[in-house]
């Protein structure tokens, strides 16, 4: 019996317009702990469904109204779940491709900068935790750290009547495949990267202090090495600071990816200096990082904090250089899955047909 399915984009739209829907996650608890769909309910029915246990999901009763969307890792066990629920007369559909396909789901939040010359939209890849930004002024727009399909940025820019003129990266990423080059090719925008000899494609190099114009606004490049040698933050009029993976809202970037133990220690020292440069900016500056470690709700609320708040939350920022370096190196999380292959593809500027296969797993660029 074939079971009706729903695509990631269809479910994304339902959640975005806050339509009544119950998302039922049937994966084992350990898999759900890695990543989940915001607002989903969990019943660990994986084993029971796979073994054909007739009692699987009999205790599940949706309370939300609307359809039930069943979810598993790749869309097979969720089809069994939907079949069970449909046999009970419920309107149930299975999420096509499961959590792997959901990796591409996204939502947005507008940043409230009243009286600013620029508008800022945060694009959140909720299925993965990547944060990218669209900054528009007087009809022009810049994208920072594109991690979604080019048409997503075009769509959001069109809504604001902005034309994407420049595509920026904060660094060569290790936990998602950059869509910056594809977006620049798709829109005809200039592709600007911090100066690096790591990549093998053409780009406009940015150095410390360079200004990237967007309409009547400007983004100043601040070279903040440490997470990677080329890592750069962008400052929008002393108001918003796009920190990439150098500084998060309660953590700092890890210095050890693609580095030997000795290089990681050296990078940690460099990172300490970069962070001190950033925290010397006005405390009301809004910090906008490139990742979050939690699935992002469809709530339109930006993931951001003032620099003052970030300093309070991040104990590493208050340590002496020696303690900072020792603590960061002992607190490193496991390396992101497939990061060598992702870095190699980002350095080459190529995208595989199905990026989600390599991008599976949570972001792990931060040390708290
Ligand atoms: Fe990174």
């Amino acid at each position: 019996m074939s079971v009706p399915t729903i695509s990631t984009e269809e479910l994304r739209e339902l959640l975005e317009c806050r339509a009544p829907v119950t998302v039922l996650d049937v994966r084992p608890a350990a898999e759900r702990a890695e990543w989940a769909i915001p607002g989903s309910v969990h019943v660990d029915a994986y084993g029971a469904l796979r073994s054909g246990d007739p009692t699987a999901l009999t205790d599940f009763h949706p309370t939300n109204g609307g359809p039930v969307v069943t979810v598993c890792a790749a869309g097979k066990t969720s089809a069994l779940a939907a079949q069970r629920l449909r046999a009970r007369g419920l309107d149930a559909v299975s999420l096509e491709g499961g959590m792997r396909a959901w990796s591409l789901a996204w939502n947005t939040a507008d940043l409230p900068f009243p009286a600013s010359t620029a508008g800022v939209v945060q694009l959140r890849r909720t299925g993965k935790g990547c944060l990218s930004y669209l900054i528009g002024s007087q009809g022009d727009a810049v994208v920072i750290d594109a991690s979604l399909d080019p048409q997503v940025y075009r769509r959001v820019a069109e809504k604001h009547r902005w034309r994407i003129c420049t595509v920026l990266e904060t660094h060569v990423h290790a936990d998602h495949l950059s869509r910056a080059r594809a977006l620049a090719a798709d829109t005809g925008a200039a592709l600007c990267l911090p100066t690096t000899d790591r990549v093998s494609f053409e780009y406009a190099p940015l150095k410390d202090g360079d200004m990237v114009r967007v309409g009547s606004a400007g983004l100043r490049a601040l070279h903040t090495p440490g997470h990677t040698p080329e890592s750069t933050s962008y400052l929008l009029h002393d108001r918003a600071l796009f920190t990439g993976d150098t500084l998060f809202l309660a953590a700092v970037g890890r210095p050890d990816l693609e580095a030997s133990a000795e290089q990681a220690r050296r990078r940690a020292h460099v990172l300490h200096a970069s962070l001190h440069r950033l925290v010397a900016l006005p405390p009301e500056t809004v910090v906008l990082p490139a990742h979050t470690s939690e699935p992002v709700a469809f709530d339109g609320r930006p993931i951001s904090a003032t620099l003052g708040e970030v300093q309070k939350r991040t104990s590493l920022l208050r340590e002496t250089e020696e303690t900072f370096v020792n603590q960061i190196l002992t607190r490193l999380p496991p390396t992101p899955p497939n990061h060598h292959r992702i870095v190699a593809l980002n350095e080459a500027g190529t995208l595989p047909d199905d990026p989600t296969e390599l991008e599976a797993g949570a972001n792990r660029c931060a040390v708290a």
Side-chain angles (χ1 to χ4, degrees):
M1 181 179 123
S2 75
V3 175
T5 58
I6 184 170
S7 69
T8 284
E9 184 53 22
E10 287 165 329
L11 177 57
R12 192 200 79 71
E13 279 172 10
L14 285 180
L15 294 174
E16 187 164 73
C17 69
R18 314 217 176 152
V21 55
T22 301
V23 179
L24 171 64
D25 187 339
V26 298
R27 294 175 298 160
E31 281 182 41
R32 181 176 165 86
E34 257 296 279
W35 211 257
I37 297 180
S40 58
V41 293
H42 182 226
V43 178
D44 183 349
Y46 185 84
L49 288 164
R50 298 306 293 184
S51 65
D53 180 344
T55 65
L57 292 177
T58 47
D59 289 339
F60 169 73
H61 301 284
T63 50
N64 241 0
V68 178
V69 177
T70 59
V71 181
C72 68
K76 290 204 173 103
T77 311
S78 60
L80 298 175
Q83 201 171 20
R84 290 291 179 100
L85 299 179
R86 293 181 76 81
R88 277 168 47 196
L90 292 168
D91 176 13
V93 294
S94 169
L95 179 66
E96 210 176 298
M99 289 303 289
R100 204 175 107 182
W102 181 254
S103 156
L104 292 172
W106 57 278
N107 60 41
T108 63
D110 292 337
L111 269 296
F113 290 126
S116 172
T117 50
V120 179
V121 182
Q122 184 177 59
L123 290 102
R124 300 95 70 83
R125 190 169 159 190
T126 173
K128 173 98 185 128
C130 306
L131 305 175
S132 51
Y133 298 90
L134 186 66
I135 301 133
S137 172
Q138 295 188 330
D140 287 347
V142 169
V143 173
I144 300 181
D145 286 336
S147 61
L148 290 159
D149 193 88
Q151 54 96 9
V152 174
Y153 298 96
R154 289 180 84 127
R155 200 163 126 187
V156 179
E158 272 161 28
K159 204 178 110 191
H160 287 83
R161 301 190 181 177
W162 293 334
R163 192 177 64 91
I164 297 170
C165 301
T166 308
V167 175
L168 292 179
E169 290 273 80
T170 55
H171 65 294
V172 178
H173 294 276
D175 53 12
H176 70 264
L177 290 157
S178 168
R179 273 65 164 185
R181 199 166 171 235
L183 178 61
D186 190 64
T187 55
L191 174 62
C192 300
L193 267 65
T195 305
T196 178
D197 55 10
R198 295 179 65 187
V199 301
S200 52
F201 51 87
E202 287 204 11
Y203 68 94
L206 290 173
K207 58 179 192 316
D208 188 60
D210 281 353
M211 188 67 94
V212 177
R213 292 272 160 212
V214 47
S216 60
L219 286 157
R220 187 150 58 92
L222 304 175
H223 184 213
T224 46
H227 172 58
T228 64
E230 75 288 352
S231 280
T232 292
S233 305
Y234 298 102
L235 182 62
L236 177 70
H237 292 283
D238 290 333
R239 261 169 187 263
L241 180 65
F242 302 90
T243 52
D245 291 354
T246 296
L247 178 61
F248 300 95
L249 302 186
V252 303
R254 64 188 302 164
D256 63 310
L257 295 179
E258 310 294 307
S260 65
E262 183 46 44
Q263 284 168 330
R265 178 165 285 277
R266 243 180 288 135
R267 276 202 213 160
H269 280 281
V270 172
L271 179 64
H272 183 265
S274 293
L275 290 167
H276 276 257
R277 184 179 180 196
L278 294 183
V279 298
L281 291 167
E284 60 276 14
T285 310
V286 174
V287 175
L288 296 165
H291 291 132
T292 175
S293 52
E294 302 274 320
V296 187
F298 287 72
D299 58 5
R301 285 166 55 183
I303 295 171
S304 67
T306 64
L307 196 50
E309 283 167 31
V310 171
Q311 267 182 283
K312 264 188 235 153
R313 293 176 192 175
T314 316
S315 61
L316 275 168
L317 292 175
R318 297 190 294 273
E319 302 295 354
T320 61
E321 182 170 340
E322 225 30 63
T323 310
F324 173 90
V325 169
N326 289 332
Q327 288 197 353
I328 202 171
L329 294 176
T330 50
R331 292 186 200 170
L332 293 170
T335 49
N338 304 323
H339 71 280
H340 293 305
R341 284 179 67 203
I342 289 176
V343 166
L345 286 165
N346 284 339
E347 288 175 347
T350 48
L351 273 173
D353 288 341
D354 180 5
T356 59
E357 196 180 328
L358 272 179
E359 290 179 322
N363 283 300
R364 291 190 193 130
C365 269
V367 186

